[in-house]
PDB file of all heavy atoms in Angstrom:
ATOM      1  N   TYR A 194       0.861  -1.179   0.000  1.00 89.00           N
ATOM      2  CA  TYR A 194       0.000   0.000   0.000  1.00 89.00           C
ATOM      3  C   TYR A 194       0.900   1.232   0.000  1.00 89.00           C
ATOM      4  O   TYR A 194       2.123   1.127   0.102  1.00 89.00           O
ATOM      5  CB  TYR A 194      -0.931  -0.003   1.220  1.00 89.00           C
ATOM      6  CG  TYR A 194      -0.187   0.014   2.535  1.00 89.00           C
ATOM      7  CD1 TYR A 194       0.037   1.202   3.210  1.00 89.00           C
ATOM      8  CD2 TYR A 194       0.296  -1.165   3.096  1.00 89.00           C
ATOM      9  CE1 TYR A 194       0.734   1.220   4.405  1.00 89.00           C
ATOM     10  CE2 TYR A 194       0.992  -1.153   4.294  1.00 89.00           C
ATOM     11  CZ  TYR A 194       1.205   0.048   4.941  1.00 89.00           C
ATOM     12  OH  TYR A 194       1.899   0.063   6.125  1.00 89.00           O
ATOM     13  N   ASP A 195       0.307   2.408  -0.083  1.00 86.00           N
ATOM     14  CA  ASP A 195       1.078   3.648  -0.092  1.00 86.00           C
ATOM     15  C   ASP A 195       0.357   4.666   0.782  1.00 86.00           C
ATOM     16  O   ASP A 195      -0.783   5.043   0.514  1.00 86.00           O
ATOM     17  CB  ASP A 195       1.211   4.175  -1.521  1.00 86.00           C
ATOM     18  CG  ASP A 195       2.156   5.358  -1.621  1.00 86.00           C
ATOM     19  OD1 ASP A 195       2.919   5.599  -0.668  1.00 86.00           O
ATOM     20  OD2 ASP A 195       2.124   6.039  -2.657  1.00 86.00           O
ATOM     21  N   ILE A 196       1.036   5.076   1.867  1.00 83.00           N
ATOM     22  CA  ILE A 196       0.449   6.054   2.787  1.00 83.00           C
ATOM     23  C   ILE A 196       1.589   6.813   3.452  1.00 83.00           C
ATOM     24  O   ILE A 196       2.721   6.317   3.523  1.00 83.00           O
ATOM     25  CB  ILE A 196      -0.455   5.354   3.836  1.00 83.00           C
ATOM     26  CG1 ILE A 196      -1.339   6.348   4.570  1.00 83.00           C
ATOM     27  CG2 ILE A 196       0.365   4.542   4.804  1.00 83.00           C
ATOM     28  CD1 ILE A 196      -2.429   5.695   5.419  1.00 83.00           C
ATOM     29  N   LEU A 197       1.333   8.015   3.932  1.00 78.00           N
ATOM     30  CA  LEU A 197       2.346   8.776   4.653  1.00 78.00           C
ATOM     31  C   LEU A 197       2.774   7.999   5.900  1.00 78.00           C
ATOM     32  O   LEU A 197       1.970   7.314   6.522  1.00 78.00           O
ATOM     33  CB  LEU A 197       1.792  10.142   5.066  1.00 78.00           C
ATOM     34  CG  LEU A 197       1.468  11.098   3.922  1.00 78.00           C
ATOM     35  CD1 LEU A 197       0.855  12.381   4.469  1.00 78.00           C
ATOM     36  CD2 LEU A 197       2.716  11.418   3.119  1.00 78.00           C
ATOM     37  N   ASP A 198       4.040   8.143   6.274  1.00 75.00           N
ATOM     38  CA  ASP A 198       4.587   7.382   7.398  1.00 75.00           C
ATOM     39  C   ASP A 198       4.609   8.161   8.710  1.00 75.00           C
ATOM     40  O   ASP A 198       5.460   7.928   9.553  1.00 75.00           O
ATOM     41  CB  ASP A 198       6.011   6.921   7.074  1.00 75.00           C
ATOM     42  CG  ASP A 198       6.019   5.818   6.056  1.00 75.00           C
ATOM     43  OD1 ASP A 198       5.165   4.929   6.141  1.00 75.00           O
ATOM     44  OD2 ASP A 198       6.883   5.851   5.166  1.00 75.00           O
ATOM     45  N   ASP A 199       3.701   9.067   8.886  1.00 80.00           N
ATOM     46  CA  ASP A 199       3.648   9.802  10.141  1.00 80.00           C
ATOM     47  C   ASP A 199       3.097   8.909  11.244  1.00 80.00           C
ATOM     48  O   ASP A 199       2.205   8.103  11.003  1.00 80.00           O
ATOM     49  CB  ASP A 199       2.747  11.034   9.994  1.00 80.00           C
ATOM     50  CG  ASP A 199       3.274  11.991   8.935  1.00 80.00           C
ATOM     51  OD1 ASP A 199       4.497  12.050   8.750  1.00 80.00           O
ATOM     52  OD2 ASP A 199       2.443  12.663   8.301  1.00 80.00           O
ATOM     53  N   PRO A 200       3.610   9.033  12.472  1.00 86.00           N
ATOM     54  CA  PRO A 200       3.032   8.256  13.575  1.00 86.00           C
ATOM     55  C   PRO A 200       1.564   8.629  13.760  1.00 86.00           C
ATOM     56  O   PRO A 200       1.220   9.813  13.760  1.00 86.00           O
ATOM     57  CB  PRO A 200       3.854   8.686  14.795  1.00 86.00           C
ATOM     58  CG  PRO A 200       5.117   9.247  14.243  1.00 86.00           C
ATOM     59  CD  PRO A 200       4.757   9.829  12.905  1.00 86.00           C
ATOM     60  N   GLU A 201       0.726   7.641  13.863  1.00 88.00           N
ATOM     61  CA  GLU A 201      -0.706   7.869  14.028  1.00 88.00           C
ATOM     62  C   GLU A 201      -1.206   7.146  15.264  1.00 88.00           C
ATOM     63  O   GLU A 201      -0.599   6.184  15.731  1.00 88.00           O
ATOM     64  CB  GLU A 201      -1.472   7.378  12.796  1.00 88.00           C
ATOM     65  CG  GLU A 201      -1.146   8.114  11.516  1.00 88.00           C
ATOM     66  CD  GLU A 201      -1.529   9.583  11.542  1.00 88.00           C
ATOM     67  OE1 GLU A 201      -2.451   9.959  12.290  1.00 88.00           O
ATOM     68  OE2 GLU A 201      -0.895  10.357  10.813  1.00 88.00           O
ATOM     69  N   LYS A 202      -2.343   7.565  15.746  1.00 91.00           N
ATOM     70  CA  LYS A 202      -2.973   6.959  16.928  1.00 91.00           C
ATOM     71  C   LYS A 202      -4.196   6.122  16.543  1.00 91.00           C
ATOM     72  O   LYS A 202      -4.624   5.278  17.297  1.00 91.00           O
ATOM     73  CB  LYS A 202      -3.392   8.042  17.910  1.00 91.00           C
ATOM     74  CG  LYS A 202      -2.318   9.075  18.166  1.00 91.00           C
ATOM     75  CD  LYS A 202      -1.739   8.941  19.526  1.00 91.00           C
ATOM     76  CE  LYS A 202      -0.772  10.081  19.817  1.00 91.00           C
ATOM     77  NZ  LYS A 202       0.574   9.667  19.958  1.00 91.00           N
ATOM     78  N   GLU A 203      -4.739   6.387  15.356  1.00 91.00           N
ATOM     79  CA  GLU A 203      -5.934   5.687  14.876  1.00 91.00           C
ATOM     80  C   GLU A 203      -5.550   4.789  13.705  1.00 91.00           C
ATOM     81  O   GLU A 203      -4.817   5.206  12.815  1.00 91.00           O
ATOM     82  CB  GLU A 203      -6.996   6.687  14.416  1.00 91.00           C
ATOM     83  CG  GLU A 203      -7.441   7.660  15.484  1.00 91.00           C
ATOM     84  CD  GLU A 203      -8.227   6.984  16.588  1.00 91.00           C
ATOM     85  OE1 GLU A 203      -9.031   6.075  16.282  1.00 91.00           O
ATOM     86  OE2 GLU A 203      -8.034   7.347  17.764  1.00 91.00           O
ATOM     87  N   PHE A 204      -6.099   3.564  13.708  1.00 92.00           N
ATOM     88  CA  PHE A 204      -5.767   2.578  12.684  1.00 92.00           C
ATOM     89  C   PHE A 204      -7.035   1.945  12.142  1.00 92.00           C
ATOM     90  O   PHE A 204      -7.975   1.678  12.886  1.00 92.00           O
ATOM     91  CB  PHE A 204      -4.871   1.479  13.275  1.00 92.00           C
ATOM     92  CG  PHE A 204      -3.534   1.990  13.719  1.00 92.00           C
ATOM     93  CD1 PHE A 204      -3.381   2.585  14.953  1.00 92.00           C
ATOM     94  CD2 PHE A 204      -2.434   1.899  12.874  1.00 92.00           C
ATOM     95  CE1 PHE A 204      -2.147   3.080  15.365  1.00 92.00           C
ATOM     96  CE2 PHE A 204      -1.204   2.389  13.273  1.00 92.00           C
ATOM     97  CZ  PHE A 204      -1.062   2.980  14.523  1.00 92.00           C
ATOM     98  N   ASP A 205      -7.038   1.715  10.836  1.00 92.00           N
ATOM     99  CA  ASP A 205      -8.109   0.934  10.224  1.00 92.00           C
ATOM    100  C   ASP A 205      -7.697  -0.527  10.280  1.00 92.00           C
ATOM    101  O   ASP A 205      -6.540  -0.869  10.042  1.00 92.00           O
ATOM    102  CB  ASP A 205      -8.338   1.352   8.770  1.00 92.00           C
ATOM    103  CG  ASP A 205      -9.035   2.697   8.668  1.00 92.00           C
ATOM    104  OD1 ASP A 205      -9.895   2.982   9.528  1.00 92.00           O
ATOM    105  OD2 ASP A 205      -8.725   3.459   7.738  1.00 92.00           O
ATOM    106  N   VAL A 206      -8.653  -1.390  10.598  1.00 93.00           N
ATOM    107  CA  VAL A 206      -8.425  -2.836  10.651  1.00 93.00           C
ATOM    108  C   VAL A 206      -8.911  -3.418   9.325  1.00 93.00           C
ATOM    109  O   VAL A 206     -10.030  -3.143   8.893  1.00 93.00           O
ATOM    110  CB  VAL A 206      -9.196  -3.481  11.826  1.00 93.00           C
ATOM    111  CG1 VAL A 206      -8.971  -4.989  11.860  1.00 93.00           C
ATOM    112  CG2 VAL A 206      -8.793  -2.837  13.148  1.00 93.00           C
ATOM    113  N   TYR A 207      -8.059  -4.218   8.691  1.00 93.00           N
ATOM    114  CA  TYR A 207      -8.412  -4.860   7.428  1.00 93.00           C
ATOM    115  C   TYR A 207      -8.289  -6.366   7.576  1.00 93.00           C
ATOM    116  O   TYR A 207      -7.431  -6.864   8.309  1.00 93.00           O
ATOM    117  CB  TYR A 207      -7.471  -4.416   6.297  1.00 93.00           C
ATOM    118  CG  TYR A 207      -7.647  -2.984   5.890  1.00 93.00           C
ATOM    119  CD1 TYR A 207      -6.935  -1.966   6.515  1.00 93.00           C
ATOM    120  CD2 TYR A 207      -8.516  -2.635   4.861  1.00 93.00           C
ATOM    121  CE1 TYR A 207      -7.086  -0.648   6.133  1.00 93.00           C
ATOM    122  CE2 TYR A 207      -8.667  -1.318   4.473  1.00 93.00           C
ATOM    123  CZ  TYR A 207      -7.947  -0.329   5.114  1.00 93.00           C
ATOM    124  OH  TYR A 207      -8.105   0.978   4.736  1.00 93.00           O
ATOM    125  N   GLU A 208      -9.154  -7.066   6.863  1.00 93.00           N
ATOM    126  CA  GLU A 208      -9.085  -8.526   6.788  1.00 93.00           C
ATOM    127  C   GLU A 208      -8.863  -8.896   5.323  1.00 93.00           C
ATOM    128  O   GLU A 208      -9.581  -8.431   4.449  1.00 93.00           O
ATOM    129  CB  GLU A 208     -10.382  -9.145   7.293  1.00 93.00           C
ATOM    130  CG  GLU A 208     -10.400 -10.642   7.220  1.00 93.00           C
ATOM    131  CD  GLU A 208     -11.739 -11.230   7.651  1.00 93.00           C
ATOM    132  OE1 GLU A 208     -12.598 -10.487   8.149  1.00 93.00           O
ATOM    133  OE2 GLU A 208     -11.913 -12.432   7.469  1.00 93.00           O
ATOM    134  N   ALA A 209      -7.840  -9.714   5.075  1.00 92.00           N
ATOM    135  CA  ALA A 209      -7.549 -10.166   3.713  1.00 92.00           C
ATOM    136  C   ALA A 209      -7.684 -11.679   3.660  1.00 92.00           C
ATOM    137  O   ALA A 209      -7.316 -12.383   4.595  1.00 92.00           O
ATOM    138  CB  ALA A 209      -6.142  -9.762   3.304  1.00 92.00           C
ATOM    139  N   SER A 210      -8.206 -12.159   2.560  1.00 93.00           N
ATOM    140  CA  SER A 210      -8.334 -13.593   2.317  1.00 93.00           C
ATOM    141  C   SER A 210      -7.945 -13.838   0.871  1.00 93.00           C
ATOM    142  O   SER A 210      -8.502 -13.220  -0.036  1.00 93.00           O
ATOM    143  CB  SER A 210      -9.781 -14.035   2.569  1.00 93.00           C
ATOM    144  OG  SER A 210      -9.944 -15.385   2.232  1.00 93.00           O
ATOM    145  N   PHE A 211      -6.955 -14.726   0.661  1.00 93.00           N
ATOM    146  CA  PHE A 211      -6.512 -14.985  -0.701  1.00 93.00           C
ATOM    147  C   PHE A 211      -5.916 -16.377  -0.811  1.00 93.00           C
ATOM    148  O   PHE A 211      -5.556 -16.999   0.187  1.00 93.00           O
ATOM    149  CB  PHE A 211      -5.510 -13.919  -1.176  1.00 93.00           C
ATOM    150  CG  PHE A 211      -4.318 -13.726  -0.275  1.00 93.00           C
ATOM    151  CD1 PHE A 211      -3.157 -14.439  -0.480  1.00 93.00           C
ATOM    152  CD2 PHE A 211      -4.381 -12.827   0.774  1.00 93.00           C
ATOM    153  CE1 PHE A 211      -2.057 -14.253   0.345  1.00 93.00           C
ATOM    154  CE2 PHE A 211      -3.282 -12.638   1.605  1.00 93.00           C
ATOM    155  CZ  PHE A 211      -2.120 -13.349   1.392  1.00 93.00           C
ATOM    156  N   LYS A 212      -5.848 -16.858  -2.048  1.00 92.00           N
ATOM    157  CA  LYS A 212      -5.288 -18.179  -2.347  1.00 92.00           C
ATOM    158  C   LYS A 212      -3.940 -17.992  -3.034  1.00 92.00           C
ATOM    159  O   LYS A 212      -3.808 -17.196  -3.955  1.00 92.00           O
ATOM    160  CB  LYS A 212      -6.232 -18.963  -3.250  1.00 92.00           C
ATOM    161  CG  LYS A 212      -7.543 -19.303  -2.569  1.00 92.00           C
ATOM    162  CD  LYS A 212      -8.458 -20.061  -3.509  1.00 92.00           C
ATOM    163  CE  LYS A 212      -9.670 -20.535  -2.770  1.00 92.00           C
ATOM    164  NZ  LYS A 212     -10.793 -19.677  -2.819  1.00 92.00           N
ATOM    165  N   ALA A 213      -2.941 -18.752  -2.573  1.00 92.00           N
ATOM    166  CA  ALA A 213      -1.616 -18.687  -3.187  1.00 92.00           C
ATOM    167  C   ALA A 213      -1.671 -19.267  -4.595  1.00 92.00           C
ATOM    168  O   ALA A 213      -2.440 -20.186  -4.874  1.00 92.00           O
ATOM    169  CB  ALA A 213      -0.603 -19.455  -2.337  1.00 92.00           C
ATOM    170  N   GLU A 214      -0.838 -18.717  -5.470  1.00 89.00           N
ATOM    171  CA  GLU A 214      -0.758 -19.214  -6.838  1.00 89.00           C
ATOM    172  C   GLU A 214       0.382 -20.230  -6.930  1.00 89.00           C
ATOM    173  O   GLU A 214       1.490 -19.961  -6.466  1.00 89.00           O
ATOM    174  CB  GLU A 214      -0.521 -18.041  -7.790  1.00 89.00           C
ATOM    175  CG  GLU A 214      -1.688 -17.057  -7.788  1.00 89.00           C
ATOM    176  CD  GLU A 214      -1.441 -15.815  -8.626  1.00 89.00           C
ATOM    177  OE1 GLU A 214      -0.339 -15.666  -9.207  1.00 89.00           O
ATOM    178  OE2 GLU A 214      -2.351 -14.986  -8.708  1.00 89.00           O
ATOM    179  N   PRO A 215       0.137 -21.400  -7.518  1.00 85.00           N
ATOM    180  CA  PRO A 215       1.164 -22.454  -7.555  1.00 85.00           C
ATOM    181  C   PRO A 215       2.320 -22.178  -8.506  1.00 85.00           C
ATOM    182  O   PRO A 215       3.365 -22.792  -8.384  1.00 85.00           O
ATOM    183  CB  PRO A 215       0.385 -23.688  -8.009  1.00 85.00           C
ATOM    184  CG  PRO A 215      -0.806 -23.158  -8.715  1.00 85.00           C
ATOM    185  CD  PRO A 215      -1.129 -21.839  -8.085  1.00 85.00           C
ATOM    186  N   TYR A 216       2.146 -21.245  -9.433  1.00 76.00           N
ATOM    187  CA  TYR A 216       3.216 -20.934 -10.378  1.00 76.00           C
ATOM    188  C   TYR A 216       4.445 -20.514  -9.594  1.00 76.00           C
ATOM    189  O   TYR A 216       4.326 -19.769  -8.632  1.00 76.00           O
ATOM    190  CB  TYR A 216       2.766 -19.814 -11.324  1.00 76.00           C
ATOM    191  CG  TYR A 216       3.834 -19.393 -12.287  1.00 76.00           C
ATOM    192  CD1 TYR A 216       4.042 -20.093 -13.455  1.00 76.00           C
ATOM    193  CD2 TYR A 216       4.648 -18.308 -12.025  1.00 76.00           C
ATOM    194  CE1 TYR A 216       5.034 -19.719 -14.345  1.00 76.00           C
ATOM    195  CE2 TYR A 216       5.640 -17.927 -12.897  1.00 76.00           C
ATOM    196  CZ  TYR A 216       5.832 -18.634 -14.057  1.00 76.00           C
ATOM    197  OH  TYR A 216       6.812 -18.259 -14.924  1.00 76.00           O
ATOM    198  N   PRO A 217       5.653 -20.917  -9.918  1.00 77.00           N
ATOM    199  CA  PRO A 217       6.102 -21.649 -11.089  1.00 77.00           C
ATOM    200  C   PRO A 217       6.312 -23.141 -10.854  1.00 77.00           C
ATOM    201  O   PRO A 217       6.827 -23.831 -11.726  1.00 77.00           O
ATOM    202  CB  PRO A 217       7.437 -20.969 -11.402  1.00 77.00           C
ATOM    203  CG  PRO A 217       7.979 -20.652 -10.045  1.00 77.00           C
ATOM    204  CD  PRO A 217       6.770 -20.319  -9.201  1.00 77.00           C
ATOM    205  N   TYR A 218       5.950 -23.650  -9.679  1.00 75.00           N
ATOM    206  CA  TYR A 218       6.322 -25.023  -9.331  1.00 75.00           C
ATOM    207  C   TYR A 218       5.205 -26.044  -9.473  1.00 75.00           C
ATOM    208  O   TYR A 218       5.420 -27.215  -9.248  1.00 75.00           O
ATOM    209  CB  TYR A 218       6.866 -25.069  -7.896  1.00 75.00           C
ATOM    210  CG  TYR A 218       8.096 -24.220  -7.720  1.00 75.00           C
ATOM    211  CD1 TYR A 218       8.048 -23.043  -6.995  1.00 75.00           C
ATOM    212  CD2 TYR A 218       9.303 -24.589  -8.308  1.00 75.00           C
ATOM    213  CE1 TYR A 218       9.178 -22.261  -6.838  1.00 75.00           C
ATOM    214  CE2 TYR A 218      10.434 -23.807  -8.154  1.00 75.00           C
ATOM    215  CZ  TYR A 218      10.369 -22.648  -7.422  1.00 75.00           C
ATOM    216  OH  TYR A 218      11.480 -21.875  -7.280  1.00 75.00           O
ATOM    217  N   GLY A 219       3.995 -25.654  -9.782  1.00 71.00           N
ATOM    218  CA  GLY A 219       2.898 -26.602  -9.924  1.00 71.00           C
ATOM    219  C   GLY A 219       2.109 -26.759  -8.631  1.00 71.00           C
ATOM    220  O   GLY A 219       2.525 -26.314  -7.567  1.00 71.00           O
ATOM    221  N   THR A 220       0.978 -27.417  -8.731  1.00 63.00           N
ATOM    222  CA  THR A 220       0.049 -27.487  -7.612  1.00 63.00           C
ATOM    223  C   THR A 220       0.554 -28.292  -6.417  1.00 63.00           C
ATOM    224  O   THR A 220       0.188 -28.015  -5.294  1.00 63.00           O
ATOM    225  CB  THR A 220      -1.310 -28.070  -8.068  1.00 63.00           C
ATOM    226  OG1 THR A 220      -1.063 -29.326  -8.688  1.00 63.00           O
ATOM    227  CG2 THR A 220      -2.015 -27.138  -9.019  1.00 63.00           C
ATOM    228  N   ASP A 221       1.380 -29.302  -6.619  1.00 77.00           N
ATOM    229  CA  ASP A 221       1.818 -30.136  -5.495  1.00 77.00           C
ATOM    230  C   ASP A 221       2.940 -29.494  -4.678  1.00 77.00           C
ATOM    231  O   ASP A 221       3.337 -30.012  -3.643  1.00 77.00           O
ATOM    232  CB  ASP A 221       2.249 -31.515  -5.985  1.00 77.00           C
ATOM    233  CG  ASP A 221       3.457 -31.448  -6.918  1.00 77.00           C
ATOM    234  OD1 ASP A 221       3.697 -30.381  -7.504  1.00 77.00           O
ATOM    235  OD2 ASP A 221       4.148 -32.473  -7.048  1.00 77.00           O
ATOM    236  N   THR A 222       3.439 -28.355  -5.087  1.00 82.00           N
ATOM    237  CA  THR A 222       4.565 -27.731  -4.401  1.00 82.00           C
ATOM    238  C   THR A 222       4.217 -27.230  -3.007  1.00 82.00           C
ATOM    239  O   THR A 222       5.083 -27.129  -2.155  1.00 82.00           O
ATOM    240  CB  THR A 222       5.133 -26.579  -5.231  1.00 82.00           C
ATOM    241  OG1 THR A 222       6.373 -26.214  -4.663  1.00 82.00           O
ATOM    242  CG2 THR A 222       4.220 -25.385  -5.231  1.00 82.00           C
ATOM    243  N   PHE A 223       2.961 -26.933  -2.738  1.00 90.00           N
ATOM    244  CA  PHE A 223       2.577 -26.405  -1.431  1.00 90.00           C
ATOM    245  C   PHE A 223       2.803 -27.411  -0.310  1.00 90.00           C
ATOM    246  O   PHE A 223       2.965 -27.029   0.839  1.00 90.00           O
ATOM    247  CB  PHE A 223       1.112 -25.966  -1.435  1.00 90.00           C
ATOM    248  CG  PHE A 223       0.833 -24.804  -2.342  1.00 90.00           C
ATOM    249  CD1 PHE A 223      -0.228 -24.850  -3.233  1.00 90.00           C
ATOM    250  CD2 PHE A 223       1.615 -23.656  -2.315  1.00 90.00           C
ATOM    251  CE1 PHE A 223      -0.507 -23.782  -4.066  1.00 90.00           C
ATOM    252  CE2 PHE A 223       1.351 -22.576  -3.146  1.00 90.00           C
ATOM    253  CZ  PHE A 223       0.286 -22.645  -4.023  1.00 90.00           C
ATOM    254  N   ALA A 224       2.837 -28.697  -0.626  1.00 87.00           N
ATOM    255  CA  ALA A 224       3.017 -29.730   0.389  1.00 87.00           C
ATOM    256  C   ALA A 224       4.342 -29.576   1.135  1.00 87.00           C
ATOM    257  O   ALA A 224       4.460 -29.981   2.290  1.00 87.00           O
ATOM    258  CB  ALA A 224       2.928 -31.108  -0.247  1.00 87.00           C
ATOM    259  N   GLU A 225       5.343 -28.976   0.500  1.00 87.00           N
ATOM    260  CA  GLU A 225       6.661 -28.799   1.118  1.00 87.00           C
ATOM    261  C   GLU A 225       6.753 -27.546   1.990  1.00 87.00           C
ATOM    262  O   GLU A 225       7.712 -27.379   2.730  1.00 87.00           O
ATOM    263  CB  GLU A 225       7.736 -28.717   0.029  1.00 87.00           C
ATOM    264  CG  GLU A 225       7.871 -29.969  -0.786  1.00 87.00           C
ATOM    265  CD  GLU A 225       8.931 -29.805  -1.872  1.00 87.00           C
ATOM    266  OE1 GLU A 225       9.777 -28.892  -1.762  1.00 87.00           O
ATOM    267  OE2 GLU A 225       8.895 -30.600  -2.820  1.00 87.00           O
ATOM    268  N   ILE A 226       5.792 -26.653   1.894  1.00 91.00           N
ATOM    269  CA  ILE A 226       5.862 -25.381   2.618  1.00 91.00           C
ATOM    270  C   ILE A 226       5.405 -25.586   4.059  1.00 91.00           C
ATOM    271  O   ILE A 226       4.273 -25.973   4.310  1.00 91.00           O
ATOM    272  CB  ILE A 226       4.998 -24.306   1.922  1.00 91.00           C
ATOM    273  CG1 ILE A 226       5.419 -24.110   0.476  1.00 91.00           C
ATOM    274  CG2 ILE A 226       5.032 -22.994   2.695  1.00 91.00           C
ATOM    275  CD1 ILE A 226       6.833 -23.623   0.286  1.00 91.00           C
ATOM    276  N   GLU A 227       6.307 -25.330   5.000  1.00 92.00           N
ATOM    277  CA  GLU A 227       5.993 -25.482   6.425  1.00 92.00           C
ATOM    278  C   GLU A 227       5.649 -24.155   7.087  1.00 92.00           C
ATOM    279  O   GLU A 227       4.865 -24.110   8.033  1.00 92.00           O
ATOM    280  CB  GLU A 227       7.170 -26.134   7.151  1.00 92.00           C
ATOM    281  CG  GLU A 227       7.438 -27.553   6.664  1.00 92.00           C
ATOM    282  CD  GLU A 227       8.678 -28.156   7.296  1.00 92.00           C
ATOM    283  OE1 GLU A 227       9.311 -27.507   8.165  1.00 92.00           O
ATOM    284  OE2 GLU A 227       9.015 -29.290   6.922  1.00 92.00           O
ATOM    285  N   THR A 228       6.277 -23.074   6.635  1.00 93.00           N
ATOM    286  CA  THR A 228       5.983 -21.737   7.158  1.00 93.00           C
ATOM    287  C   THR A 228       5.952 -20.757   5.988  1.00 93.00           C
ATOM    288  O   THR A 228       6.512 -21.020   4.923  1.00 93.00           O
ATOM    289  CB  THR A 228       7.052 -21.256   8.169  1.00 93.00           C
ATOM    290  OG1 THR A 228       8.315 -21.198   7.524  1.00 93.00           O
ATOM    291  CG2 THR A 228       7.120 -22.164   9.384  1.00 93.00           C
ATOM    292  N   ILE A 229       5.262 -19.651   6.196  1.00 95.00           N
ATOM    293  CA  ILE A 229       5.271 -18.558   5.225  1.00 95.00           C
ATOM    294  C   ILE A 229       5.656 -17.280   5.956  1.00 95.00           C
ATOM    295  O   ILE A 229       5.561 -17.199   7.182  1.00 95.00           O
ATOM    296  CB  ILE A 229       3.911 -18.364   4.524  1.00 95.00           C
ATOM    297  CG1 ILE A 229       2.828 -17.955   5.529  1.00 95.00           C
ATOM    298  CG2 ILE A 229       3.515 -19.597   3.738  1.00 95.00           C
ATOM    299  CD1 ILE A 229       1.560 -17.432   4.879  1.00 95.00           C
TER     300      ILE A 229
END
């Protein structure tokens, strides 16, 4: 995102939900991922 970096006291809370894309390793590659 892009916003001024001034210290602030008020924050907006956001919720994101998304699916990882298997490219470039194919769909079975996620089985090896232990942490992100």
Side-chain angles (χ1 to χ4, degrees):
Y194 61 96
D195 188 15
I196 194 169
L197 294 177
D198 288 319
D199 299 329
E201 296 296 334
K202 313 251 186 246
E203 301 291 321
F204 295 83
D205 286 325
V206 179
Y207 291 89
E208 179 183 352
S210 175
F211 54 92
K212 294 179 173 93
E214 296 175 358
Y216 177 83
Y218 299 109
T220 55
D221 63 338
T222 192
F223 294 131
E225 297 179 19
I226 303 298
E227 296 175 3
T228 61
I229 64 166

